[in-house]
Amino acid sequence: MSMDLNDYTIIKEGEAEILMHAKNEVFYNKTQVNNRDMSIAVLRTFISRWKLEHEALLSKRNKSGAKLPENNVSVSEVDDTLNDSDMNTEKSNEECEGPAEKSQDDTCTTSEEPVKTEGKVRGELKPPRVLEALSASGLRALRYAREVEGIGQVVALDNDKGGAVEACQRNIMFNGSVACSKVESHLADARVYMLTNPKEFDVVDLDPYGSPSVFLDSAVQSVVDGGMLMCTATDMAVLCGGNGEVCYSKYGSYPLRGKYCHEMALRILLACIESHANRYKRYIVPVLSVQMDFYVRVFVRIYTSASAMKNTPLKLSYVYQCTGCDAFHLQPIGRTVSKNTSVRFLPGFAPVVPQECSHCQKKFNMGGPIWSAPIHDQEWVMNILSDVKSMKDRYPAYDRISAVLTTISEELPDVPLFLSLHNLCATLKCTSPSAVIFRSAVINAGYRISGTHVNPLGLKSDAPMDVIWDIMRCWVKNHPVKAQPADQPGSVILAKEPVLQANFARAVASLSKAQAKKVARFLPNPERHWGPKLRAGRQITSKHISLLGEEKVNGCLSHQDSELDAKRQKIEKLEDASAES
């Protein structure tokens, strides 16, 4: 492939290097180094888990085979039974990890036909196949191939032949034999490719420029049972309530503009993926959900089970947000009733709120449905964090991703959304207690409380809003506020006497372990104008100063002007020459 290296800039990230043309032909975003590092960390943990699950499955099969002489059952009969309930040897190489309700007809998969020897079953596990559905320069696929041990084939797709596919193929060759042997680049529409390759990939990575909604239906079909779907959404203005009607059309959920809007964005994306999976008798199990920089990123495992899929309404809720104060309430969509050994699925009880807020007498806005079940698997988070710390030199964005994972590891996993202490005080027009004092009051009242990785001022708690407002009423008694109009939400709240007498004595658990050790959890951006960059092929103009910075924009504009002057002079010379002739 002939090319002039003087026209390219070499960009190194991790162990991969790519060639970027001076023109903005293929999208590359330096900011996404956090995203790529987090994905590599999750992928490493997934592969180690995947191997352990496969070994456990083989152990189960071997134990069943060892019991054959006692039960007078043939090896082939046991093997067929186990294949029906645990494996589909033709399609996949992943073991299921779903809930206990999984039916006998559901299939988990491996890559090769097991070999039967003396009543025992041995199966060889093939390296996992990864699909990067929107590859652009191919940097992510190259980093997966070069940095993740035990990974198999990485298929990089893009629908831009003249720019992205050629750039990806060029970068594969530039990265040597390892990349050439593991990474394939194809010109294809990602949606068509995933639809025509159902249950073919152990990991599917979606990182589009904007919304992933158009890819989700085909993505959930291309992942093997127990496989991983990694999905990014960068359209945060839509997900956070800037355009609620657009969010509903793309994700099937209406967002609310509360302080928790970024966590709500995560939960909207999870609910949308679950909705697409349910259409094919599949469901998701989130292992990690992250809001960083200007996007949300979720990592979910996908399983097939018609019976477990029935639990989806139990994991979804509508949100009622008071327009006057910070109170919010969740309305579960479904519920279950158990009788003997049977379980009935019924609609959720309603309403959970009256027409007017019981605290400030204002109306409610309703949003959702959102994913209200846990968005992280804490065991996974701890494994990922320990893995990252053990190989810190291999992560260019180690400081940032370790800080985020540390904060996530201390979140309350079973508490959806969160409160903002500053918002509570803004409603009452009072001075704010320190986070330690407020946390202590909640803990002393007998409830749990934690921070959130989404917002440094956010607080997750299982305390009801009655308790929260009682604590704030007790605080205001010791720190009086100026008189406010009687119809203000704060005045209505403070007019009531507290039922609970708050204890503000400092509690031992008021600081998390990371806070007590003064571990950094929220880091500043490493440089100015750290955020989303221009879409590939866009011409840089003066309106992009907020994205790129004034110096860079002015430099690009002056370079463009000099290019135009050179072209103009060349055209004038040609015209003069033709006139003389």
Side-chain angles (χ1 to χ4, degrees):
M1 188 180 295
S2 61
M3 57 184 177
D4 184 1
L5 287 178
N6 293 325
D7 295 336
Y8 297 89
T9 302
I10 297 177
I11 296 174
K12 180 175 175 61
E13 185 179 294
E15 296 180 17
E17 293 181 328
I18 60 171
L19 296 168
M20 289 299 296
H21 200 278
K23 296 180 180 179
N24 188 31
E25 293 179 340
V26 180
F27 183 69
Y28 164 73
N29 199 348
K30 180 181 178 181
T31 316
Q32 293 287 66
V33 62
N34 300 328
N35 187 314
R36 289 184 281 268
D37 271 12
M38 188 71 79
S39 302
I40 288 171
V42 174
L43 192 52
R44 283 177 174 147
T45 302
F46 170 73
I47 290 176
S48 62
R49 284 277 189 127
W50 176 72
K51 291 177 180 177
L52 290 174
E53 290 167 3
H54 181 71
E55 291 170 3
L57 180 61
L58 291 182
S59 175
K60 176 185 174 183
R61 292 164 63 91
N62 291 340
K63 286 180 181 178
S64 299
K67 294 178 182 179
L68 291 177
E70 300 177 11
N71 299 328
N72 298 319
V73 183
S74 68
V75 174
S76 58
E77 287 174 347
V78 172
D79 190 52
D80 291 340
T81 303
L82 287 169
N83 278 339
D84 288 341
S85 60
D86 295 321
M87 283 190 172
N88 179 346
T89 56
E90 296 178 357
K91 292 184 179 178
S92 158
N93 54 6
E94 180 55 34
E95 183 203 346
C96 285
E97 187 189 68
E101 305 92 70
K102 190 167 176 63
S103 67
Q104 291 292 323
D105 297 329
D106 301 327
T107 58
C108 291
T109 54
T110 61
S111 298
E112 288 191 1
E113 181 70 22
V115 180
K116 288 172 280 188
T117 306
E118 298 179 353
K120 293 187 178 181
V121 183
R122 293 186 293 108
E124 181 183 349
L125 190 66
K126 285 188 175 179
R129 299 181 69 212
V130 179
L131 174 66
E132 191 197 354
L134 306 153
S135 63
S137 64
L139 175 59
R140 187 183 296 264
L142 291 168
R143 287 197 64 189
Y144 287 168
R146 297 194 59 172
E147 298 181 39
V148 181
E149 297 79 6
I151 202 168
Q153 181 189 39
V154 183
V155 178
L157 301 179
D158 210 291
N159 206 21
D160 178 17
K161 180 180 180 180
V165 175
E166 290 182 4
C168 188
Q169 292 172 348
R170 180 169 60 239
N171 291 327
I172 291 171
M173 295 177 63
F174 188 68
N175 277 267
S177 58
V178 174
C180 291
S181 63
K182 287 190 174 183
V183 185
E184 296 180 5
S185 178
H186 297 289
L187 173 67
D189 186 314
R191 294 167 295 183
V192 175
Y193 190 91
M194 290 187 288
L195 280 173
T196 52
N197 291 273
K199 294 189 179 182
E200 285 291 325
F201 294 96
D202 303 290
V203 180
V204 172
D205 192 324
L206 287 177
D207 187 17
Y209 192 102
S211 172
S213 58
V214 296
F215 302 100
L216 293 179
D217 199 77
S218 48
V220 296
Q221 298 179 67
S222 63
V223 183
V224 301
D225 287 343
M228 176 82 73
L229 173 62
M230 313 186 204
C231 182
T232 303
T234 62
D235 55 335
M236 295 302 288
V238 170
L239 283 165
C240 291
N243 301 93
E245 67 284 357
V246 177
C247 183
Y248 190 83
S249 66
K250 289 184 176 181
Y251 298 96
S253 182
Y254 209 95
L256 296 173
R257 300 189 68 177
K259 280 292 183 182
Y260 51 67
C261 62
H262 291 93
E263 183 180 329
M264 191 172 188
L266 279 171
R267 294 180 178 277
I268 287 174
L269 179 57
L270 288 171
C272 185
I273 298 173
E274 175 82 347
S275 173
H276 285 283
N278 285 171
R279 297 165 198 176
Y280 307 100
K281 297 182 180 179
R282 313 194 86 182
Y283 66 98
I284 67 170
V285 177
V287 297
L288 179 66
S289 305
V290 183
Q291 190 274 318
M292 285 195 302
D293 298 322
F294 53 88
Y295 57 86
V296 290
R297 175 87 162 160
V298 298
F299 302 86
V300 301
R301 299 190 73 175
I302 296 182
Y303 299 96
T304 304
S305 172
S307 57
M309 185 190 69
K310 296 177 182 178
N311 291 312
T312 293
L314 310 178
K315 307 172 191 173
L316 302 176
S317 297
Y318 288 98
V319 183
Y320 291 93
Q321 174 67 60
C322 177
T323 58
C325 64
D326 212 35
F328 64 86
H329 305 270
L330 271 68
Q331 167 68 67
I333 290 180
R335 60 187 172 92
T336 58
V337 175
S338 300
K339 187 176 181 181
N340 298 328
T341 58
S342 64
V343 177
R344 291 185 63 199
F345 292 86
L346 300 172
F349 284 123
V352 293
V353 294
Q355 284 287 317
E356 294 180 346
C357 176
S358 58
H359 306 293
C360 67
Q361 310 305 316
K362 300 294 182 181
K363 298 287 186 181
F364 287 97
N365 284 330
M366 188 181 78
I370 65 168
W371 180 272
S372 52
I375 61 175
H376 315 293
D377 184 318
Q378 291 298 330
E379 187 180 348
W380 271 75
V381 173
M382 295 306 298
N383 288 345
I384 295 167
L385 182 57
S386 62
D387 176 72
V388 167
K389 288 181 177 178
S390 67
M391 345 169 98
K392 60 186 297 184
D393 296 335
R394 300 184 65 182
Y395 292 99
Y398 168 77
D399 291 339
R400 183 63 187 276
I401 65 170
S402 62
V404 171
L405 288 168
T406 299
T407 313
I408 290 173
S409 69
E410 297 180 338
E411 283 185 10
L412 290 175
D414 55 344
V415 177
L417 308 180
F418 58 86
L419 295 166
S420 168
L421 183 55
H422 285 195
N423 260 31
L424 295 173
C425 296
T427 300
L428 301 181
K429 304 292 191 295
C430 69
T431 58
S432 176
S434 68
V436 173
I437 291 176
F438 184 79
R439 283 169 174 250
S440 298
V442 173
I443 293 169
N444 292 333
Y447 298 95
R448 297 175 299 152
I449 190 167
S450 76
T452 170
H453 79 281
V454 171
N455 189 325
L457 301 175
L459 295 170
K460 285 178 170 286
S461 177
D462 58 353
M465 284 307 301
D466 290 334
V467 172
I468 298 296
W469 284 127
D470 275 352
I471 291 172
M472 293 307 299
R473 289 185 185 105
C474 294
W475 172 260
V476 170
K477 282 191 174 184
N478 297 327
H479 302 79
V481 299
K482 294 180 180 178
Q484 300 291 330
D487 61 340
Q488 291 294 313
S491 301
V492 177
I493 291 170
L494 293 176
K496 300 175 183 177
E497 284 297 316
V499 176
L500 169 77
Q501 293 303 315
N503 178 8
F504 293 103
R506 180 159 178 167
V508 176
S510 59
L511 288 179
S512 67
K513 291 181 180 179
Q515 287 175 307
K517 295 179 181 178
K518 296 186 177 179
V519 176
R521 296 170 301 121
F522 296 93
L523 302 179
N525 291 334
E527 60 187 43
R528 294 185 65 193
H529 307 290
W530 185 260
K533 303 306 181 198
L534 293 180
R535 187 190 290 268
R538 292 277 178 91
Q539 194 75 11
I540 295 174
T541 65
S542 58
K543 71 179 183 180
H544 297 120
I545 288 177
S546 62
L547 293 179
L548 306 175
E550 187 173 355
E551 294 179 1
K552 186 168 182 179
V553 169
N554 290 339
C556 290
L557 291 177
S558 62
H559 179 69
Q560 291 172 8
D561 291 340
S562 62
E563 282 187 343
L564 289 172
D565 290 339
K567 288 180 180 178
R568 196 177 294 112
Q569 291 175 7
K570 190 174 182 180
I571 292 171
E572 289 175 354
K573 287 180 181 179
L574 291 173
E575 289 176 348
D576 292 342
S578 61
E580 289 175 0
S581 61

